[in-house]
Amino acid sequence: MQHQIESVLNELGLIIESRKGGNSESSYVARLFNKGEDTILKKVGEECTEVVIAAKGGHPYQIIYETADLLFHVMVMLSHYNLSLDDIARELARREGMSGLEEKASRNDSPLDGKSI
Ligand SMILES: N=c1c2ncn([C@@H]3O[C@H](COP(=O)(O)OP(=O)(O)OP(=O)(O)O)[C@@H](O)[C@H]3O)c2ncn1[C@@H]1O[C@H](COP(=O)(O)O)[C@@H](O)[C@H]1O
């Protein structure tokens, strides 16, 4: 299962990267990149809302479907900022073994303090 998650996400990440500068007529991802930041962020926002609605509806497949849409659009957003799920995995690994409460208390020392990316 671990392998399946990694290979599916890696493959999708490569496909998304390959769509930069591509043709909006033949590729949805290229269309998002060509439309730019505001369109990509709007899609992420919409998909978040759709996940919440699906979760409240309680149908497992609907939750899976909408979460897949959200994850896909988050990957497009990360790619727009030249980031990837590798960067997110690194951050999650850094947090491993630290309770959420400790982590919250340590946020004052966050590398993001006083900086924007
Ligand atoms: N995983 C996905 C994926 N998930 C969702 N979507 C698209 O994301 C959009 C979701 O939008 P909504 O649910 O809001 O539906 P909508 O109202 O029709 O969308 P909008 O008109 O508002 O954009 C739909 O157009 C879906 O087809 C995806 N489009 C592409 N991929 C992957 O990206 C690859 C490259 O896609 P292309 O760039 O189109 O070749 C594909 O082979 C897939 O692997």
Side-chain angles (χ1 to χ4, degrees):
M1 191 57 182
Q2 175 97 2
H3 179 68
Q4 197 191 349
I5 289 171
E6 273 187 35
S7 65
V8 167
L9 294 179
N10 282 337
E11 183 61 27
L12 181 56
L14 292 174
I15 293 172
I16 288 171
E17 272 311 303
S18 77
R19 295 298 199 260
K20 284 183 173 172
N23 185 344
S24 295
E25 296 304 312
S26 56
S27 159
Y28 175 74
V29 178
R31 187 178 305 174
L32 284 177
F33 282 135
N34 291 333
K35 287 191 170 175
E37 183 181 52
D38 286 359
T39 298
I40 294 169
L41 295 180
K42 186 163 167 267
K43 286 306 294 180
V44 171
E46 282 173 18
E47 301 301 342
C48 282
T49 306
E50 285 171 20
V51 167
V52 172
I53 292 167
K56 288 298 282 183
H59 299 290
Y61 181 70
Q62 207 57 35
I63 297 171
I64 292 167
Y65 186 93
E66 296 300 348
T67 302
D69 269 3
L70 174 60
L71 184 53
F72 163 72
H73 284 90
V74 164
M75 290 178 73
V76 174
M77 178 201 71
L78 290 171
S79 176
H80 173 79
Y81 296 112
N82 295 314
L83 296 168
S84 73
L85 286 183
D86 278 345
D87 297 293
I88 309 307
R90 211 169 294 120
E91 174 61 17
L92 290 173
R94 186 187 69 78
R95 297 178 188 180
E96 242 170 46
M98 188 187 280
S99 95
L101 297 175
E102 276 175 55
E103 196 277 337
K104 194 175 167 75
S106 77
R107 282 187 185 184
N108 290 336
D109 310 324
S110 155
L112 291 180
D113 268 1
K115 295 180 192 151
S116 59
I117 308 179

